[in-house]
Amino acid sequence: MQIELFIDGEKKTFTSPFTPFLAKRKYLEIMANAEKREDTPPYEEQLKEDLELFSILSDVVFKDKFTLDQLYAGVSQEYAYEKLREAIFGTKPKEDDEGNQKGE
């Protein structure tokens, strides 16, 4: 798997030789915990869930090669979700959509 981020104005490419099944497991754990939460305000809940979900990319797949802040600042929202779907479900973008073209 590959991801491209803009860090300090420079495009950097990070690769992982494979996507560990742990990515899907972490996703299912996050979703199971989200079902249990009822007393948390909606935005606080969304923020926590967002941090947990995208840490799958930074922590599990790419093993701390970049921070969550670098991910959030370095790509478009659409590209980040695309890469998250690729990590969790194995879905890859279409040929013409690869990279971070919309975030450039």
Side-chain angles (χ1 to χ4, degrees), residues 19-77:
T19 303
F21 186 58
L22 182 60
K24 176 87 180 247
R25 173 73 181 176
K26 288 287 183 188
Y27 171 76
L28 294 173
E29 288 174 3
I30 293 164
M31 293 297 103
N33 287 332
E35 287 180 346
K36 294 177 190 174
R37 290 191 297 253
E38 295 179 16
D39 59 341
T40 309
Y43 288 116
E44 186 178 330
E45 183 178 319
Q46 286 177 355
L47 180 60
K48 182 178 179 183
E49 194 173 286
D50 192 65
L51 291 169
E52 291 172 342
L53 284 171
F54 286 103
S55 72
I56 292 171
L57 288 175
S58 64
D59 300 348
V60 176
V61 178
F62 292 99
K63 306 225 184 277
D64 300 318
K65 291 180 182 173
F66 53 85
T67 66
L68 276 175
D69 286 340
Q70 289 172 323
L71 176 66
Y72 288 137
V75 299
S76 67
Q77 178 180 334

Side-chain angles (χ1 to χ4, degrees), residues 5-13:
L5 306 179
F6 282 92
I7 299 175
D8 298 328
E10 186 179 325
K11 185 189 241 181
K12 297 192 179 192
T13 302

Side-chain angles (χ1 to χ4, degrees), residues 50 54 72 75-83 85 100 103:
D50 192 65
F54 286 103
Y72 288 137
V75 299
S76 67
Q77 178 180 334
E78 182 179 277
Y79 181 75
Y81 277 103
E82 187 177 281
K83 289 299 177 177
R85 279 190 300 276
N100 191 22

